[in-house]
Amino acid sequence: MEYRPFGKTGMDVSAIGFGCWELGGSYGHFDETEVIAAIHKALDVGINCFDTAEGYGMGKSEELLARGLGDRRKDIILVTKVGIGYSDSGRPKGRDSRRGRIMASVENSLRFLNTDYLDVYLIHWPDREVSFEEPMRALDDLVQQGKVRFVGVSNFKAEETAECMQTRRVDVGQYGYHMFDRRREN
């Protein structure tokens, strides 16, 4: 497996990651035994970056990933996200990155993932109903508390990321780009 520096985190990440969106159940039925076997195979071939989100089945993806990882959690870079899928938010697309939501969601994710820390915690999509200062301060507090090692944003425009960085450094930026979707090359 080829590894690359993961931004300025000091961690080396596998060039191929294991995405867990589908494990939330929104794509239909799958065999959990096969998913766990795939997680084990990924680990065995050197994949060390596993990406999930609370919004992928509101914890279902995180729980299944935790079962698949078992005691190998320490061998990976665990990335999860916060801020979408909240039917109770009353906000556009169920987005919510207010401080209270972030603080409650991190506890859910830690429980679902059966871990006491997250390597990377990202705001899943920009919540334009709240100043970016609020979630960035909350994320910084989670780093200070030791619950999260690094923080960042996913699906943010460059100017939105720059606005976030006025409050706190963005350690990781995530964008949809993979072998089947290369629109970012343009």
Side-chain angles (χ1 to χ4, degrees):
M1 179 60 63
E2 180 182 331
Y3 297 90
R4 300 176 179 152
F6 197 22
K8 295 184 179 185
T9 65
M11 297 185 290
D12 288 328
V13 65
S14 53
I16 298 172
F18 192 105
C20 299
W21 186 0
E22 296 84 359
L23 307 186
S26 61
Y27 285 96
H29 175 76
F30 56 84
D31 183 319
E32 289 189 12
T33 304
E34 289 181 9
V35 169
I36 291 171
I39 291 168
H40 292 174
K41 182 65 173 180
L43 290 163
D44 292 344
V45 299
I47 292 174
N48 73 348
C49 185
F50 288 77
D51 175 83
T52 188
E54 180 188 34
Y56 300 163
M58 297 316 289
K60 290 178 186 173
S61 173
E62 292 173 323
E63 285 180 325
L64 183 52
L65 176 58
R67 283 200 311 273
L69 291 172
D71 63 0
R72 295 180 74 181
R73 156 60 183 114
K74 64 190 176 309
D75 299 333
I76 69 155
I77 296 170
L78 180 57
V79 179
T80 195
K81 297 177 284 299
V82 61
I84 65 163
Y86 308 108
S87 58
D88 65 344
S89 74
R91 305 176 82 193
K93 300 182 181 181
R95 294 182 189 175
D96 188 352
S97 64
R98 292 174 288 189
R99 179 182 181 80
R101 177 70 75 178
I102 289 172
M103 297 313 218
S105 290
V106 77
E107 297 301 330
N108 290 335
S109 289
L110 290 169
R111 187 178 75 255
F112 292 142
L113 288 160
N114 193 30
T115 188
D116 57 355
Y117 72 96
L118 303 171
D119 293 300
V120 180
Y121 200 40
L122 305 174
I123 302 170
H124 205 147
W125 282 90
D127 173 1
R128 297 180 182 103
E129 301 288 314
V130 65
S131 164
F132 293 144
E133 179 181 358
E134 183 175 342
M136 294 310 292
R137 287 198 188 286
L139 292 176
D140 191 56
D141 287 347
L142 293 174
V143 171
Q144 300 306 316
Q145 294 169 15
K147 294 179 181 182
V148 175
R149 294 178 65 201
F150 301 98
V151 300
V153 296
S154 177
N155 303 302
F156 278 54
K157 296 177 183 175
E159 60 271 15
E160 292 170 330
T161 301
E163 187 177 334
C164 289
M165 289 186 64
Q166 292 175 10
T167 301
R168 197 237 186 248
R169 183 184 73 225
V170 172
D171 300 311
V172 175
Q174 181 186 65
Y175 300 92
Y177 175 77
H178 50 80
M179 67 174 74
F180 302 112
D181 183 352
R182 295 178 178 248
R183 287 176 288 175
R184 293 279 173 196
E185 289 178 357
N186 293 329

